[in-house]
Amino acid sequence: MKTYLSKSELLEALRNAPKGEKRAEILSVEENRRLIYNSGANVTLYAGKIQDGKNFQEKLGNIYLGLIERKNAKTARREGVGALGGLSERISEEEFNQLDIAEQERLIGLKDDVIKGEDNLPYHTTDINIISRNTVKRESFEELGNLGIYDNPIDTSLMQPLDMSAVRDDNYAINIWNGYGQVWAVTPYCYRLEVSENLLSKLHSQSLENQHEQNSEAQSYLKMPLFEALPRFGKRDGAVLSEDGRDMEYDYRYPHEWLVSWKIAADILQADTKAMLNLASEVQASVNHQISFAKAAQAMGQNLDFVAHVLELNPGTVRQMEGNFQLTHQQKFRSSAQMEK
């Protein structure tokens, strides 16, 4: 596969290539992908503690996630649920150095890679830990602002990271971009943050009661039970479908954000193998569509070993969970078919 020397050459190649496999081949070359690289970052808020119960739906019944319901600002078409966050806003070091100090200072808070340095002067950083946390701070303020919520409660210094640095979120460039405007090949950085249940309740109610900004990119902010969030990837029917055929009134928009919900569950269950296997079976039994770590991983250009790395579980455990998804779904399908006879 050809390696392109400039961003303009690469964009022309992508513009002329058919959407799908041909564009994916171009971006499979890391030197090409780097020409349009950008990072993204997001945070999932969660609250609650495990409790006694006869099944995992009861045991996890007091644990909630905060999830934003996304929509298209122009069409109001639903675009899935997910964490607060988005694309990083950056400036190149060359462009930064061409500005005077006053102009550089005005970029603090607007560009995620411009910060106050040790000498209290504007500084251009390449530290992804700083950039991604700044992205969450800026994007969460903007998204909650869409819902009329302006007292941003997120302390980015307390966020816990998940290692998603191997993810290739290039779907927009490969399957959607029409050749006009900005296009990025994105590596997302995912965080989780434990908060109070009262905060999630407050954000949810404010998102319903407050006046939303014009052309809002958010429908509401949900306080969703963790157990209900765990199956939300892979539903293939619905009134509003994504470009890959998933229900955007139900599914997470992005598989990497969906995996965060499973990481929260794994942490709560202390990565206990038996508990995780039983949880996989019970979550699958609660829905009609088949859940699959393997398909989510494929959408990220990864495999089950990557899922195991993110969840900090033994790879064998993740493979057994995947098997439980398949087996439980098959058993439920057979049982439904027999009842219809």
Side-chain angles (χ1 to χ4, degrees), residues 165-183:
S165 58
V167 170
R168 302 167 70 96
D169 181 16
D170 300 348
N171 181 62
Y172 182 80
I174 293 171
N175 294 312
I176 302 174
W177 187 55
N178 62 7
Y180 300 95
Q182 294 274 29
V183 63

Side-chain angles (χ1 to χ4, degrees), residues 42 44-45 65-68 70 79-83 224-226 228-235 242 244 246-262 264:
N42 60 80
T44 299
L45 308 186
L65 304 185
L67 297 176
I68 197 162
R70 296 191 176 105
E79 294 188 337
V81 301
M224 182 180 293
L226 172 61
E228 184 182 328
L230 292 174
R232 285 181 176 248
F233 192 86
K235 186 173 181 289
S242 63
D244 60 346
R246 292 181 296 108
D247 184 357
M248 288 293 94
E249 294 184 313
Y250 175 86
D251 263 31
Y252 272 81
R253 176 69 177 174
Y254 301 110
H256 52 271
E257 294 181 8
W258 174 63
L259 276 187
V260 177
S261 69
W262 280 93
I264 291 170

Side-chain angles (χ1 to χ4, degrees), residues 1-2 4 10 13-14 17-30 32-33 36 168 170-176 185 298-299 301:
M1 178 56 63
K2 182 178 178 180
Y4 296 93
L10 174 65
L14 290 173
K19 294 177 182 179
E21 185 177 341
K22 293 297 183 181
R23 288 185 177 183
E25 288 178 3
I26 293 172
L27 292 179
S28 68
V29 178
E30 194 59 35
N32 292 340
R33 186 175 187 271
I36 56 169
R168 302 167 70 96
D170 300 348
N171 181 62
Y172 182 80
I174 293 171
N175 294 312
I176 302 174
Q298 184 180 28

Side-chain angles (χ1 to χ4, degrees), residues 271-274 276-277 313-322:
D272 181 80
T273 297
K274 182 179 179 180
M276 294 305 296
L277 294 177
L313 296 174
N314 186 289
T317 299
V318 170
R319 284 176 169 75
Q320 285 182 278
M321 292 172 70
E322 182 75 7

Side-chain angles (χ1 to χ4, degrees), residues 31-50:
E31 290 84 353
N32 292 340
R33 186 175 187 271
R34 197 175 296 123
L35 293 172
I36 56 169
Y37 164 80
N38 195 5
S39 60
N42 60 80
V43 62
T44 299
L45 308 186
Y46 71 99
K49 303 295 181 184
I50 195 167

Side-chain angles (χ1 to χ4, degrees), residues 4-15 35-36 177:
Y4 296 93
L5 300 179
S6 69
K7 180 179 178 179
S8 59
E9 283 185 15
L10 174 65
L11 291 179
E12 186 65 19
L14 290 173
R15 190 177 289 115
L35 293 172
I36 56 169
W177 187 55

Side-chain angles (χ1 to χ4, degrees), residues 242-309:
S242 63
E243 63 281 348
D244 60 346
R246 292 181 296 108
D247 184 357
M248 288 293 94
E249 294 184 313
Y250 175 86
D251 263 31
Y252 272 81
R253 176 69 177 174
Y254 301 110
H256 52 271
E257 294 181 8
W258 174 63
L259 276 187
V260 177
S261 69
W262 280 93
K263 174 56 177 169
I264 291 170
D267 286 350
I268 289 168
L269 297 176
Q270 300 180 324
D272 181 80
T273 297
K274 182 179 179 180
M276 294 305 296
L277 294 177
N278 289 338
L279 176 64
S281 297
E282 189 177 326
V283 170
Q284 179 62 76
S286 71
V287 294
N288 291 325
H289 66 278
Q290 184 173 330
I291 305 164
S292 175
F293 285 148
K295 289 183 179 179
Q298 184 180 28
M300 296 181 282
Q302 301 298 323
N303 56 29
L304 288 178
D305 287 339
F306 169 79
V307 176
H309 171 74

